[in-house]
């Protein structure tokens, strides 16, 4: 399986979403999809093509210290970055405001997160964005997700929930965040574009492809223990990903992908 490629139709689609946004400020558009779906690749390519700023929700994780506090005060599983509740949405909102108010000669510093140290980089190592963007493109896996009802939360979806969240406190806390601050943030955007995977079963292969690309090896050469580690990791994202793939998402445009990430019909 090859890595994600940018289809010209998808780039053009982002361009149309930018043009359709309200005038007078940069467009605010989220590109959403499961791990490995190509959302970051598309956001970066579109930012380059249309003079936009690209920000990943991965860049605004809470610091390690903040997540350790959540692990103590709410649930131990909040130590793992990625699920709702582990992002600094206030920082992201402030960043959008700064980019929206930027002049042609201004510099806006975009946060960056070091996954090796599992912590946010210090401010003097953030990325500069010069000028005023045409749009702010946010790639994120969970924006637009619709919260579940309690009956669905009562049933674990995988071994992680069964063994480490037996009483459902973690998934209930996440669901409340999805219904609250994450929903409010999604509603502040001009558009959400959802890259819909054909099913959760492809996510592990896509995530392994990403890891193999980072290591500079073929996916088939990825060590078995690394694939097993990633299979455990994606369990943190499984419940909401399955929910979104089954229609539990509010999106303005939906693009169906096949297992090779080739886009099909566009709805919206």
């Amino acid at each position: 399986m090859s890595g994600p490629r940018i289809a010209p139709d998808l780039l053009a689609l982002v361009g149309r979403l930018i043009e359709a946004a309200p005038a007078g400020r940069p467009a605010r558009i989220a590109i959403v999809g499961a791990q490995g779906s190509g959302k970051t690749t598309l956001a970066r390519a579109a930012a380059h093509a249309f003079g936009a700023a690209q920000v990943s929700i991965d860049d605004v994780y809470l610091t390690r210290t903040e997540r350790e506090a959540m692990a103590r005060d709410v649930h131990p599983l909040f130590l793992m970055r990625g699920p709702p509740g582990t992002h600094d949405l206030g920082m992201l909102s402030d960043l959008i405001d700064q980019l929206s108010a930027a002049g042609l000669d201004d510099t806006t510093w975009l946060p960056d997160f070091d996954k090796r140290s599992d912590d946010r980089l210090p401010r003097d190592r953030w990325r500069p964005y010069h000028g005023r963007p045409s749009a702010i493109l946010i790639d994120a896996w969970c924006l637009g997700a619709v919260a579940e009802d309690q009956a669905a939360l009562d049933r674990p979806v995988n071994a992680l929930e069964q063994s480490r969240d037996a009483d459902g406190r973690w998934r209930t806390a996440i669901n409340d965040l999805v219904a609250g601050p994450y929903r409010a943030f999604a509603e502040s955007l001009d558009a959400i574009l959802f890259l819909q995977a054909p099913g959760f079963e492809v996510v592990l292969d896509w995530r392994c492809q990403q890891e193999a690309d980072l290591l500079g090896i073929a996916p088939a050469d990825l060590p078995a223990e690394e694939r097993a580690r990633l299979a455990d990791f994606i369990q943190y994202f499984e419940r909401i990903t399955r929910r979104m793939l089954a229609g539990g998402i509010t999106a303005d445009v939906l693009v169906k992908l096949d297992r090779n990430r080739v886009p099909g019909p566009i709805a919206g």
Side-chain angles (χ1 to χ4, degrees):
M1 181 190 301
S2 61
R5 296 184 177 90
I6 301 303
D9 287 351
L10 286 184
L11 268 183
L13 173 59
V14 176
R16 291 195 297 274
L17 291 175
I18 292 173
E19 291 178 355
R25 60 164 174 78
R28 302 170 179 182
I29 297 168
I31 299 175
V32 176
Q35 290 177 300
S37 60
K39 57 187 178 295
T40 303
T41 303
L42 175 58
R44 288 174 177 167
H48 178 75
F50 302 113
Q54 175 266 332
V55 181
S56 175
I57 202 169
D58 291 357
D59 294 330
V60 294
Y61 285 132
L62 296 176
T63 65
R64 175 82 185 190
T65 298
E66 290 168 329
R67 285 181 286 115
E68 287 173 347
M70 284 195 74
R72 289 192 307 270
D73 299 340
V74 185
H75 193 283
L77 288 178
F78 276 112
L79 183 62
M80 176 63 75
R81 65 180 186 266
T86 64
H87 308 101
D88 191 335
L89 294 183
M91 169 184 278
L92 185 53
S93 295
D94 289 345
L95 180 61
I96 290 172
D97 290 343
Q98 292 170 36
L99 287 165
S100 298
L104 295 177
D105 298 324
D106 289 336
T107 298
T108 305
W109 293 92
L110 308 182
D112 207 349
F113 192 91
D114 181 11
K115 294 182 179 179
R116 289 171 296 182
S117 65
D118 193 26
D119 214 343
R120 191 183 300 158
L121 289 174
R123 192 177 183 87
D124 61 6
R125 294 178 62 188
W126 290 7
R127 298 176 291 130
Y129 185 87
H130 302 293
R132 179 181 175 85
S134 66
I136 302 160
L137 305 178
I138 304 161
D139 58 270
W141 74 276
C142 58
L143 288 180
V146 176
E148 296 183 282
D149 58 30
Q150 187 58 50
L153 293 173
D154 288 342
R155 298 186 296 271
V157 300
N158 55 34
L160 174 76
E161 292 187 358
Q162 181 71 52
S163 63
R164 300 183 63 188
D165 187 40
D167 61 2
R169 283 191 302 116
W170 176 66
R171 54 188 182 267
T172 297
I174 286 177
N175 197 59
D176 290 344
L177 289 160
V178 167
Y182 283 76
R183 167 58 51 182
F185 182 85
E187 289 176 350
S188 74
L189 303 174
D190 297 314
I192 295 177
L193 189 167
F194 181 41
L195 302 176
Q196 185 181 38
F200 186 77
E201 67 279 359
V202 305
V203 174
L204 178 58
D205 285 341
W206 287 359
R207 187 63 185 82
C208 288
Q209 170 71 52
Q210 285 183 313
E211 197 67 20
D213 289 345
L214 289 172
L215 296 172
I217 61 176
D221 295 330
L222 192 70
E225 59 270 21
E226 182 63 12
R227 185 176 177 90
R229 182 188 72 81
L230 292 171
D232 288 340
F233 177 63
I234 66 173
Q235 291 186 71
Y236 286 83
F237 306 83
E238 183 172 354
R239 172 178 291 275
I240 294 177
T241 300
R242 287 188 180 277
R243 170 77 165 153
M244 295 170 74
L245 294 179
I249 180 172
T250 301
D252 298 275
V253 182
L254 186 150
V255 179
K256 291 182 178 292
L257 305 179
D258 69 13
R259 65 177 304 105
N260 294 313
R261 305 183 190 86
V262 176
I266 295 172

